[in-house]
Amino acid sequence: MKDMTGSRTDILNYRNDDTPRMIINPVGGLANRMRAMASGIALADAIGCDFRIVWRCNSELNASVEEIFNVPDYIKSKIIYPLKLEYSLKYSAPRKRNLYVSGLIAPIFFGHIFRDWTPEFRAMVVNNKNESLKETAEKYILSGRNVLFQSGLSFYPFPIELYRNIFRASNAVETKSNAILNSLGDHSIGFHIRRSDNSESIKHSPDSLFISEMDAAIHDNPKVKFYLATDDETTKVDFARKYGDRIISSKSVASRATKEGIIDAATEMYILSKTDRIVGSFYSSFSEAAAMLGDRNLKQVYRN
């Protein structure tokens, strides 16, 4: 095994196939994958080990990393796009759809597997046992085994500078974002109203709370405009009817299952990150991601 005490550059450039690595498999939607990817890279840096990003295009997010982000070259070279069968047998949790075979195959490739739904890992994350997590992963890597993290959580602290460096907008996202940003004027507030399958956001962040925020903003500044990011077409129509051309939103129908839909979602996130401040929904990481990207104040509106 290679000496793990070298500089970060030496370690990251060491790519022999027998090198023990952290394998980071971000899962879930866009914001979930972003925070998990940043967490994994930060943990790999803390350990001083090589890593790979396993990125599965599926119904939750059907676009490649490069189509969404302009990631640094040292990360781009480490992204893996496994075929469906390989992913099912090597990375997926044992389940009926893969005949539970991954439970036999995965241990051949990984010394230890951390998944969001496993009690050990979840307890470490919930209780901020960052050092314990690092020590556990490091133990297996130092023994010469790969370690798999399959997560949509912020499971290890990462520098905000790292996050912003990783997730720079792709050319396609930047071009679409700039076209809309130019129409927002000098004073704008971003609103993210999550609906669709997020029952917690629907329950705790009703439209009335966003209307109150908009009315108060107009009272303070009659020239203010709002960028409305939402996954619900009815919400777009209702708010446009109430606030007219003060509301700007995507003309595309939200969809995770297409490349175009994901690029549109990323565009909305970057637009939110450029507004003066953000008002977001309860229990949604999308507006949190936008706030981190743009160093913007985020107010999540909710009722008990």
Side-chain angles (χ1 to χ4, degrees), residues 13-25:
N13 287 336
Y14 188 74
R15 297 176 183 161
N16 289 351
D17 288 341
D18 60 352
T19 306
R21 302 182 176 102
M22 265 188 58
I23 309 299
I24 307 158
N25 175 208

Side-chain angles (χ1 to χ4, degrees), residues 234-293:
T234 300
T235 300
K236 290 182 187 178
V237 172
D238 289 346
F239 277 79
R241 184 181 295 122
K242 183 173 180 60
Y243 293 102
D245 58 7
R246 194 186 296 275
I247 289 277
I248 297 173
S249 58
S250 172
K251 292 180 172 58
S252 302
V253 177
S255 171
R256 296 182 180 183
T258 66
K259 178 180 72 174
E260 293 75 16
I262 295 301
I263 290 175
D264 286 336
T267 299
E268 291 205 308
M269 182 181 289
Y270 278 94
I271 293 170
L272 288 175
S273 77
K274 300 294 185 181
T275 57
D276 296 343
R277 60 185 177 90
I278 302 170
V279 180
S281 296
F282 175 78
Y283 204 70
S284 177
S285 56
F286 191 90
S287 48
E288 293 174 356
M292 283 195 291
L293 283 174

Side-chain angles (χ1 to χ4, degrees), residues 192-195 198-206 209-210 279-288 298-304:
H192 176 237
I193 304 180
R194 178 69 191 275
R195 293 293 176 254
N198 193 321
S199 59
E200 291 298 310
S201 291
I202 295 170
K203 177 181 177 181
H204 295 286
S205 298
L209 297 183
F210 294 99
V279 180
S281 296
F282 175 78
Y283 204 70
S284 177
S285 56
F286 191 90
S287 48
E288 293 174 356
L298 168 64
K299 179 179 181 180
Q300 289 183 312
V301 294
Y302 59 91
R303 64 184 180 192
N304 296 326

